[in-house]
Amino acid sequence: MMNRLLMIVLMLLAQHVWVQAQTDFPQDYFRAPVDFRMLLSGTFGELRSNHLHSGIDIKTGGAAGKPLLAVADGYVSRVSVSAGGFGKAVYIDHPNGYTSVYGHCDRFADSLARWVRAEQYRLESFAVNLFPEPGQFKIKKGQMIAFSGNSGSSGGPHLHFELRTTADEIPVNPLLFGFDIRDFTRPTMQRMKIYPVGNNSFVRGRNKITEFALAGWGLDYRLKDGDTISLAGTFYFGIDAYDRLNDSDNKNGVFAVRLVVDSTEQYSHRMQQFSFDESRYINSMIDYEDFSRRKVRFQKTYIAPGNKLSVYETTTNRGLVYFNDGKLHRLQYVVEDANCNASVLTFYVQAAVPDFRIAMQMTVNPKPVRVFEWDTDNEFLAENFRLELPRGTLYDTLSFTFSQSPAGKSFYTPLYKVHHVGVPMHDYGKIYLKPQQLPASHKSKALVVQVPPKGDLISVGGKWEDGWLVASIRSFGNYSVVIDSVAPSIAAVNIANGKNVSGQKNITFRIHDALSGIADYRGTINDKWILMDYDAKNKLLVYTIDARMPKGSSLLKLEVTDERGNKKTYQAKLVR
Ligand SMILES: [Zn+2]
């Protein structure tokens, strides 16, 4: 038994090595982007919110300010600064056809920092996306280009590092380029799910998605309660797994998943590369319904017809498996990391013949108001309500549900229940709402909001078209209309009117808008624009005091405007 299992595993590993060798990535070309040992808090292809992780996250000891080094000769092709996303990021083009990317930097080095700052002043904008001339910033391998940080939408100090093909901007898994990143640890499998398809499929006699606890480890994972499951009908499977690397506790994403039924591979995917366009298909790859409820990501073997993700390799019957022959079948789930460490879950399926008399008794839950096909445009109309879903919005045929209920005092339409949040949308749809009791004076302040069961309202904005308030939405759920007539708040953290600031390095504000969100901000000293770093996640605006604040008395002004045009102004006389 064990010998046979081992043989199958060795065969699968041999296949893995063969495929990887074929792809021929340069192994000795790039040096490390840091001068200390690389430990990872994120792997390539890791399952993230609405996207697959497009690089690796290198730990920086929990602190900012570590020198970042060019991984090879080249030139700076792009520098971007933004309040979210990668924050401060450097892109270097290399002669071998790859571009390296260094994200969430604290600051840029030397001449690059001076040039970016001059451009920010020229454009009067903190957020910039700059493309220097190829000869402008030539870089040598190992040259310091920036300091690591926590800028943009980073959840703690680290370096987000990417390798992309320069020509097509396709991110490729950096772990396939021979970096010295040690990983001798097999992936961990946490639990498995079996999904019956349709009303005529049964897991242990029940037409119900069933979760299985796992025991064992490494090549010897098994079901906790008995090794055989009775299945009748059509199914797909899901696995919740993660990978640890050496000397680090972080639970990172796995590289490859495959499902083998009776020694035949039925499903597999590998996180070698994907385009940014397809990254959002993650929502179809995972059990999105379960994710929206428990924040757990099961990777499914089922490939929905509208799912165009390119990381899939074996996709027999779109990952669906039929069991109706009365025989015993052996199934193996194989999960691998990029360093070819594999874990294997083995279990057995006793195929039974589906009992259609039970199927006949099944009740169909919430009655759909309409069936939407995944490969066409879809539209739904109700009183004072319209929904348009262009082709490309849905992954699968949808039994669409819709209802409305009174929404409460601060809302200007009923609460529209537009299907439910457990079904993902790929592209944007359009929602049209016609508020009935909205005073004309409040029209410009009205906005469409998603109303979650608990927590804050989520603004999706909206524009007026022929008496309809129209907004783009990328999520099903509950929607209504509110007004935002409240200006953003500005709190001065370390100044007050009349203060002498000669003893401090910077001037810091906390800015916030509760509903529609901050659209714009503008800081000036004596009516001249000043550069203020905006850190959206911490709601901080920071001006580093420099020569633009002259000796003597100055007038500092800050204006912050929200998405509905409500404006707040702060001003103070400061002495230096
Ligand atoms: Zn990252």
Side-chain angles (χ1 to χ4, degrees), residues 74-77 79 92 109-116 132-139 143:
Y75 63 86
V76 176
S77 57
V79 190
I92 301 177
D110 312 327
S111 58
L112 190 60
R114 283 193 295 276
W115 178 73
V116 171
E133 294 298 318
Q136 206 173 338
F137 296 102
K138 284 191 182 144
I139 301 291
Q143 184 179 334

Side-chain angles (χ1 to χ4, degrees), residues 42 48 53-58 86 104 158-162:
R48 300 273 178 99
H53 191 226
S54 52
I56 54 175
D57 289 341
I58 299 168
F86 291 162
H104 306 308
H158 74 278
L159 166 65
H160 172 91
F161 176 73
E162 283 185 14

Side-chain angles (χ1 to χ4, degrees), residues 151-319:
S151 62
S153 49
S154 168
H158 74 278
L159 166 65
H160 172 91
F161 176 73
E162 283 185 14
L163 289 174
R164 300 179 183 178
T165 60
T166 304
D168 311 310
E169 285 208 89
I170 303 285
V172 184
N173 193 335
L175 297 184
L176 304 177
F177 288 77
F179 289 104
D180 182 17
I181 295 170
R182 270 157 261 173
D183 182 2
F184 310 140
T185 314
R186 297 178 189 281
T188 301
M189 296 195 201
Q190 306 223 88
R191 44 199 158 173
M192 194 251 311
K193 270 171 99 169
I194 302 183
Y195 301 79
V197 176
N199 293 330
N200 300 332
S201 301
F202 300 91
V203 182
R204 290 180 170 159
R206 300 176 68 193
N207 181 248
K208 192 169 184 287
I209 299 170
T210 309
E211 187 175 313
F212 293 87
L214 307 181
W217 71 285
L219 302 182
D220 199 19
Y221 274 99
R222 59 191 188 276
L223 304 179
K224 208 165 189 172
D225 304 310
D227 63 357
T228 305
I229 306 165
S230 139
L231 297 181
T234 305
F235 302 87
Y236 60 90
F237 297 81
I239 193 91
D240 174 20
Y242 63 85
D243 186 45
R244 277 215 175 94
L245 283 71
N246 290 23
D247 303 312
S248 159
D249 271 344
N250 299 76
K251 294 177 177 179
N252 294 326
V254 301
F255 177 69
V257 175
R258 59 184 88 222
L259 181 69
V260 181
V261 180
D262 298 327
S263 308
T264 305
E265 186 170 288
Q266 191 82 14
Y267 165 93
S268 66
H269 79 255
R270 278 192 317 148
M271 293 295 179
Q272 183 172 297
Q273 61 181 60
F274 51 80
S275 75
F276 286 102
D277 294 352
E278 23 173 335
S279 195
R280 194 180 167 90
Y281 288 118
I282 158 98
N283 290 342
S284 184
M285 184 178 217
I286 62 169
D287 177 347
Y288 192 81
E289 201 278 324
D290 200 354
F291 173 68
S292 69
R293 249 179 328 114
R294 298 192 293 175
K295 300 293 159 209
V296 177
R297 292 183 174 103
F298 278 87
Q299 315 196 30
K300 302 182 296 185
T301 62
Y302 173 60
I303 300 140
N307 177 356
K308 312 289 184 214
L309 190 56
S310 66
V311 300
Y312 295 115
E313 293 186 336
T314 304
T315 58
T316 311
N317 299 325
R318 297 201 155 273

